[in-house]
Amino acid sequence: MLLCRTTWLAHYDGRLDDDVYSNHRFVREGNTPGEILNFLPTPDGRMEGYVKVPADGNVRIDKHLGAARDDDKVDRITVVWCAQHKDGRGIVVVGWYEGATVFRA
């Protein structure tokens, strides 16, 4: 399982006028968060989730998800998306993917 903290959005379906709440500086400065499309299927029906990676640009799939050191991806992972609720209710689950492929970066 991979737990990802993301920006709070009302819909995550690509709406540019979505209700956004975030402590991330990039979003507070008025920029559109990458996670705006996290629950909008691609034309072929897949879901592609965005999460900001650490400063080194590396998702440590070998350390945290059981991949080999030279693997570029790991399959069959449950990804749980959480965000700080805009109404001060704390961090809440906003969605999840089951059977996801998680890429190293």
Side-chain angles (χ1 to χ4, degrees):
M1 179 181 293
L2 177 64
L3 182 63
C4 297
R5 185 164 176 191
T6 189
T7 295
W8 169 270
L9 294 159
H11 301 97
Y12 299 91
D13 63 0
R15 300 174 200 201
L16 294 176
D17 63 345
D18 206 341
D19 189 13
V20 177
Y21 174 78
S22 181
N23 288 325
H24 302 121
R25 184 179 68 198
F26 179 81
V27 178
R28 286 193 332 259
E29 291 174 348
N31 297 297
T32 301
E35 44 281 58
I36 195 169
L37 301 172
N38 277 8
F39 296 102
L40 180 68
T42 62
D44 63 359
R46 294 181 304 133
M47 303 293 270
E48 294 180 351
Y50 170 84
V51 65
K52 182 162 176 46
V53 297
D56 66 2
N58 191 352
V59 176
R60 298 292 310 270
I61 62 172
D62 53 320
K63 183 176 180 181
H64 302 295
L65 299 176
R69 295 187 118 229
D70 60 345
D71 286 346
D72 293 328
K73 65 180 181 170
V74 62
D75 295 315
R76 298 182 304 276
I77 300 296
T78 298
V79 178
V80 179
W81 300 94
C82 299
Q84 177 70 44
H85 194 282
K86 73 171 191 145
D87 294 336
R89 298 183 203 164
I91 297 175
V92 297
V93 173
V94 296
W96 62 88
Y97 302 162
E98 293 182 30
T101 299
V102 177
F103 294 90
R104 184 172 298 278

